[in-house]
Amino acid sequence: MQVVKIIQWDMGHRVMNHRSICKGLHGHRYRAEICIQGDMIDVEGVSEEGMVVDFSDIKEIALSFIHSKLDHAFMVWDKDEEMINFFNSSKGHKPIIVPFTPTAENVAKYIFETLSPKIIDNYGNGLHLMSVKVWETPTSYAVYSE
Ligand SMILES: [Zn+2]
């Protein structure tokens, strides 16, 4: 059984080596679909009986990372010297420096790898992060799964 929680946030980026307009500074309303897989919990009388996981637990795990680190941030590739220099000399911004070019594909993989160890299988129901789908625009998304 799979359950999905959707988290949205605003973030700026640029794709430095892109052949067209994506190399300029711009932002997106991102949307991540966090897909969790596991068996349904059959422990009688517990709060999570009949669930794979409590949606509020996924929300808390995903939001604590996505909203604190990524929301209203500007994602910068650590090879992007121009932007690194800018953020070193200008205050009041929220840069997040990453070791990859910030495409939707890499953002999906990054979120997957960050959240995966935080999904704890407390009930022995095989609970694990199945995939992360990142929407960069209303018509474009990337999915990462292991
Ligand atoms: Zn973009």
Side-chain angles (χ1 to χ4, degrees), residues 13 22 26 28 30 136:
H13 79 153
C22 291
H26 65 280
H28 296 282
Y30 285 91
E136 197 177 68

Side-chain angles (χ1 to χ4, degrees), residues 5-13 27-34 62-63 65-75 94 96 100 102-104 106-112 115 132-137 142:
K5 188 74 191 168
I6 295 171
I7 309 283
Q8 300 189 66
W9 76 102
D10 298 305
M11 188 174 78
H13 79 153
H28 296 282
R29 176 68 173 172
Y30 285 91
R31 168 189 166 103
E33 298 185 18
I34 314 294
L63 276 185
F65 167 64
I66 291 177
H67 278 184
S68 66
K69 285 266 190 179
L70 304 183
D71 191 41
H72 284 73
F74 192 97
M75 189 173 274
K94 190 177 167 187
I96 175 156
F100 51 78
T103 58
N106 274 328
V107 173
K109 182 170 186 271
Y110 174 63
I111 291 174
F112 185 98
L115 295 185
V132 172
K133 180 188 281 189
V134 168
W135 292 82
E136 197 177 68
T137 73

